[in-house]
Amino acid sequence: MKKAITFIKLNVLILSIFSTLLSCKNANKNEVSKIKVPKTKKEQLTLSKGFQLLESNCFACHSPKNPIEDRIAPPMAMIKDFYITNNKNISEEDFIKSLITFINNPNEENSKIPEAIERYGLMPKMNFTEEQITQIAKYIYNSKLEQPNWYKNHFHNEKFIHLENLKNEDLSYKELGLKYAMNTKAVLGKNLIAAIKNKGTEGAVAFCNTRAFNIVDSAGVTLNTKIKRVSDLPRNLANTANKTELDYIYSTKKAMKNNKKTSPLVQEIDKKMVAYYPIVTNTMCLQCHGVPNTQILPATLSKIKELYPTDKATGYGENELRGIWVIEMDKK
């Protein structure tokens, strides 16, 4: 009987220790990761849209897989680390607000990562809607992309899951056109920044002259649509806007002059759905499109005159309309 009691006590002790260890383990897990598991289909869909936006628009520059020497922008894991991990008390709402503020107006004052600006420069201004930035921010905040080897171990599995969530989603023409424009812009921007990094601004002018048009055209072929960039003040005559495109350009310039928010436009033309999206200048643009001999260095200006004798695309300031994306889509 005594042995039986001792045995029972021993079992109780073991169970007690096991329960304590399990509680500690769960408590530590909760402390380390404050990630919220989405419970509703709506929340899951929001995260899936955020992932898709990151993959098609952001990862081209903010790559989660490139080695340090090949990076042209900080990886998303670093961004999350600076915004969230270094500020453990930041709420999801505050993180979303910070990201909206910076992406809508990327400048040093709004940046949380001065080291990244010193190394990579400021990112171009993007044409995301506030809803899309919110979706991106929610995915970053709730994901675990800061974990070591996230891309290798989790990316492809997550992509499959999010594609499954989105497979029945029917994008509007405005959303679909923006996706195509941002995807093309990301690829073009990645190559342009690499050209500046490797060969200087003169090298970037040469890149635009020989490769930019082909990259945009190839993107259209890949996406089974027609994509082009046009302007009222073109550098390359092939990018001259037609009358319909000029109407949108002039109305957008007027809105910007009056400090009004610009909006994409979608209209039906010749049984096609055609969408227009603004292209706005930032600091990087002014190296080739700013004031000659001040923002545009003499060597760069000389290269521009050599390659584009009819150039009209100088004298811009920051946050001015440089041109527009034109996306021509088949009707559904």
Side-chain angles (χ1 to χ4, degrees):
M1 184 70 178
K2 188 175 181 180
K3 287 183 178 179
I5 293 171
T6 304
F7 180 74
I8 292 170
K9 287 182 177 179
L10 183 61
N11 278 341
V12 170
L13 180 61
I14 291 170
L15 285 171
S16 176
I17 293 171
F18 179 77
S19 297
T20 303
L21 289 173
L22 188 61
S23 298
C24 291
K25 183 179 179 182
N26 289 335
N28 289 337
K29 189 183 289 185
N30 289 334
E31 286 178 14
V32 172
S33 176
K34 296 181 179 179
I35 303 304
K36 294 186 294 182
V37 178
K39 295 179 181 179
T40 68
K41 186 174 180 180
K42 184 178 179 181
E43 288 175 326
Q44 292 172 349
L45 194 59
T46 296
L47 295 188
S48 293
K49 287 181 177 180
F51 176 88
Q52 187 180 61
L53 287 165
L54 275 170
E55 188 200 10
S56 60
N57 302 297
C58 308
F59 282 162
C61 295
H62 299 280
S63 175
K65 61 178 180 176
N66 284 355
I68 292 175
E69 62 272 14
D70 293 335
R71 288 177 185 163
I72 59 173
M76 280 298 162
M78 178 187 289
I79 294 171
K80 182 172 183 178
D81 187 49
F82 270 85
Y83 275 81
I84 298 176
T85 310
N86 289 347
N87 185 5
K88 297 184 186 301
N89 294 319
I90 191 170
S91 66
E92 182 176 6
E93 183 181 357
D94 287 339
F95 175 65
I96 292 169
K97 286 179 181 177
S98 293
L99 213 61
I100 288 173
T101 299
F102 179 73
I103 292 178
N104 280 337
N105 189 16
N107 58 36
E108 292 187 33
E109 183 181 348
N110 292 333
S111 172
K112 305 289 185 185
I113 318 176
E115 295 89 341
I117 295 178
E118 290 175 13
R119 178 168 182 177
Y120 305 109
L122 279 167
M123 68 177 280
K125 196 166 187 177
M126 307 297 284
N127 290 327
F128 289 123
T129 64
E130 191 165 304
E131 181 183 16
Q132 288 173 318
I133 301 172
T134 299
Q135 290 164 352
I136 290 170
K138 279 181 174 290
Y139 176 79
I140 294 172
Y141 190 89
N142 291 285
S143 75
K144 296 183 180 181
L145 55 78
E146 76 280 8
Q147 289 184 346
N149 297 318
W150 174 84
Y151 183 83
K152 180 180 177 182
N153 297 331
H154 302 289
F155 173 79
H156 295 290
N157 184 51
E158 284 206 28
K159 182 175 180 178
F160 174 79
I161 292 170
H162 294 305
L163 284 176
E164 281 293 302
N165 288 341
L166 294 169
K167 67 180 180 181
N168 294 321
E169 276 291 292
D170 188 22
L171 296 178
S172 68
Y173 289 114
K174 186 181 290 188
E175 291 172 322
L176 190 61
L178 183 61
K179 177 182 174 181
Y180 292 156
M182 291 295 96
N183 190 296
T184 308
K185 181 178 181 178
V187 175
L188 191 61
K190 177 183 177 180
N191 282 275
L192 182 60
I193 293 170
I196 293 173
K197 182 178 177 182
N198 295 327
K199 298 181 180 179
T201 311
E202 301 98 282
V205 174
F207 161 81
C208 287
N209 181 257
T210 58
R211 294 188 57 203
F213 190 87
N214 290 336
I215 286 175
V216 173
D217 195 48
S218 296
V221 172
T222 302
L223 297 167
N224 194 31
T225 188
K226 185 177 179 181
I227 301 173
K228 62 179 180 176
R229 297 175 302 159
V230 299
S231 176
D232 55 329
L233 298 170
R235 172 153 290 170
N236 186 332
L237 289 176
N239 298 123
T240 303
N242 62 32
K243 184 182 182 305
T244 306
E245 293 157 354
L246 284 172
D247 288 343
Y248 176 72
I249 288 172
Y250 294 148
S251 64
T252 302
K253 282 188 173 182
K254 184 178 179 180
M256 293 176 69
K257 185 177 180 181
N258 294 322
N259 294 318
K260 293 182 178 178
K261 191 172 180 64
T262 61
S263 300
L265 173 68
V266 180
Q267 56 187 355
E268 184 176 345
I269 301 176
D270 296 331
K271 298 182 180 180
K272 297 279 187 179
M273 300 307 296
V274 183
Y276 308 107
Y277 305 91
I279 299 173
V280 180
T281 57
N282 63 5
T283 304
M284 185 178 74
C285 301
L286 303 187
Q287 296 179 52
C288 295
H289 295 287
V291 179
N293 294 314
T294 52
Q295 292 164 315
I296 306 176
L297 298 178
T300 304
L301 191 61
S302 177
K303 179 61 72 174
I304 292 171
K305 289 179 178 179
E306 175 193 335
L307 297 176
Y308 302 99
T310 60
D311 174 50
K312 298 179 183 178
T314 59
Y316 286 91
E318 283 188 70
N319 297 318
E320 293 184 0
L321 190 73
R322 166 72 188 93
I324 61 172
W325 288 100
V326 180
I327 313 295
E328 184 181 294
M329 299 165 280
D330 290 330
K331 291 184 68 176
K332 299 176 185 177

